[in-house]
Amino acid sequence: GAVVSQHPSRVICKSGTSVKIECRSLDFQATTMFWYRQFPKKSLMLMATSNEGSKATYEQGVEKDKFLINHASLTLSTLTVTSAHPEDSSFYICSAARSASYNEQFFGPGTRLTVL
Amino acid sequence: AQSVTQLDSHVSVSEGTPVLLRCNYSSSYSPSLFWYVQHPNKGLQLLLKYTSAATLVKGINGFEAEFKKSETSFHLTKPSAHMSDAAEYFCVVGGGGGGADGLTFGKGTHLIIQP
């Protein structure tokens, strides 16, 4: 149990286009989902936290107008990178938490975004 | 506020010898602590977690970690390394408020297993 999927696993896009990444909890309901960014040989950086039905909370330095997060249901969150630029190329990872009282996050396999 | 420091960016051991990956943390409250492993081109996998129960935590694949509050450490150990253990390991601290808090990741330790 506690499987999280991401789609797509890899995406290549042209500069200036927008890309949507989906994160799904397959066998549980996630009250909270998180989006992380991982740079090459670097740690994961938390970008934002989203609760179902409410606006995402962004970490300092993360542009909320550029990285649009929607958590429309208890099993789906989406991250849209708007007007992507080469510097947005990275590995994006989502995670999901079952409930506020269960202190564990389950991670998706990640999405490799390459902006040309 | 919370932070985590992984003291070694790379650790190299021979197959069959013990593994020690070091981690120190700081937290304003009783933390939850985790070790995750990331194999190349794979997602993060939870090895073990500490959530204020037993201080010696046993995880998967023969790994264990000991929470030492006086030393603010949560080092990861394994008695005998296997080639399949080669991966990136992350020490992670979570908020005391449960899964609704974002995790803070260490910079990672790359474990190399020599044949």
Side-chain angles (χ1 to χ4, degrees):
Chain A
V3 178
V4 176
S5 70
Q6 280 184 244
H7 177 79
S9 58
R10 292 177 180 269
V11 57
I12 301 172
C13 69
K14 292 182 179 179
S15 187
T17 61
S18 294
V19 174
K20 180 185 283 188
I21 302 170
E22 291 186 348
C23 176
R24 293 182 184 272
S25 56
L26 298 183
D27 51 2
F28 68 100
Q29 292 188 325
T31 57
T32 309
M33 286 184 166
F34 305 83
W35 286 96
Y36 295 84
R37 182 172 177 175
Q38 186 177 31
F39 296 92
K41 299 183 180 180
K42 296 279 188 182
S43 181
L44 277 71
M45 180 193 76
L46 178 66
M47 298 174 67
T49 302
S50 73
N51 292 292
E52 184 264 340
S54 61
K55 288 184 179 180
T57 301
Y58 290 81
E59 295 299 301
Q60 192 171 13
V62 178
E63 299 176 60
K64 58 183 177 183
D65 294 330
K66 181 168 188 61
F67 298 100
L68 301 178
I69 291 172
N70 182 277
H71 193 162
S73 75
L74 285 172
T75 58
L76 172 65
S77 177
T78 60
L79 168 68
T80 301
V81 183
T82 62
S83 186
H85 289 282
E87 58 265 30
D88 298 325
S89 298
S90 192
F91 196 54
Y92 293 88
I93 302 174
C94 75
S95 71
R98 273 199 276 237
S99 71
S101 63
Y102 191 72
N103 193 347
E104 181 176 349
Q105 296 178 23
F106 301 94
F107 286 82
T111 297
R112 172 76 60 192
L113 170 63
T114 303
V115 185
L116 301 177
Chain B
Q2 57 193 28
S3 67
V4 60
T5 302
Q6 290 183 244
L7 297 161
D8 306 292
S9 59
H10 292 79
V11 169
S12 180
V13 302
S14 298
E15 189 175 20
T17 64
V19 175
L20 169 64
L21 304 183
R22 298 182 294 165
C23 172
N24 287 98
Y25 70 92
S26 69
S27 178
S28 304
Y29 34 72
S30 297
S32 295
L33 293 159
F34 309 80
W35 276 97
Y36 283 88
V37 60
Q38 186 179 36
H39 288 91
N41 301 314
K42 295 283 182 73
L44 287 158
Q45 181 183 20
L46 179 67
L47 278 178
L48 50 81
K49 63 178 178 179
Y50 166 78
T51 54
S52 76
T55 56
L56 182 62
V57 182
K58 293 187 183 299
I60 61 172
N61 301 336
F63 285 95
E64 62 181 39
E66 185 171 8
F67 172 72
K68 292 187 176 180
K69 186 176 181 179
S70 60
E71 299 177 8
T72 60
S73 69
F74 191 58
H75 301 334
L76 181 70
T77 60
K78 182 173 180 177
S80 176
H82 191 273
M83 293 300 291
S84 61
D85 295 328
E88 192 80 18
Y89 290 79
F90 293 97
C91 181
V92 182
V93 60
D101 298 328
L103 301 176
T104 300
F105 279 72
K107 292 188 181 298
T109 298
H110 187 61
L111 178 61
I112 300 163
I113 311 296
Q114 306 280 3

